[in-house]
Amino acid sequence: MTWSSPTKRPITAVTEIARRLSISGRVQGVGFRAFVKHHADALALDGFVRNRKDGTVEALVCGDEQKIEKLITTCHEGPPASKVECVEVEDAQGMVDKGFKHLPTV
């Protein structure tokens, strides 16, 4: 199958899933986005992480289900300066860029 865009791919591969994470607590100003990006890169996941104006951190993650579960577990721990209160996880669909990006606040 050929995709029309070399930088985007659909989240439809049989072995891949996508999850949207919303992380709350003391998660901004403590290196949380860099922490998530580092671990997502190490797991070869695609997607993005960004701060939200409501004080949460949002991540969209696409890839192997077991690798995503590892990242979710890691997000519950967070970097040393953080205090994670909740990690909400929901199924996601759509297109994601290849690689894992750190996006601006929305």
Side-chain angles (χ1 to χ4, degrees):
M1 182 180 275
T2 303
W3 307 113
S4 60
S5 173
T7 62
K8 292 189 185 258
R9 62 181 177 77
I11 305 168
T12 58
V14 175
T15 61
E16 294 186 340
I17 63 167
R19 297 290 184 260
R20 183 173 305 278
L21 312 179
S22 179
I23 304 121
S24 59
R26 188 174 61 226
V27 294
Q28 291 190 9
V30 294
F32 206 97
R33 290 172 296 167
F35 174 85
V36 172
K37 182 174 181 347
H38 170 78
H39 288 281
D41 285 343
L43 292 166
L45 295 170
D46 295 324
F48 65 81
V49 63
R50 63 184 170 192
N51 282 344
R52 297 195 55 89
K53 290 181 183 175
D54 66 2
T56 63
V57 169
E58 174 187 25
L60 175 64
V61 187
C62 176
D64 176 78
E65 185 172 8
Q66 290 180 341
K67 291 179 179 182
I68 290 176
E69 289 302 322
K70 283 182 185 180
L71 183 65
I72 292 169
T73 298
T74 300
C75 286
H76 279 280
E77 298 165 8
S82 71
K83 182 173 181 186
V84 178
E85 293 176 4
C86 182
V87 179
E88 295 178 23
V89 181
E90 61 184 48
D91 293 340
Q93 298 180 43
M95 301 279 285
V96 294
D97 289 333
K98 290 181 182 179
F100 201 85
K101 310 282 189 274
H102 178 227
L103 298 181
T105 301
V106 292

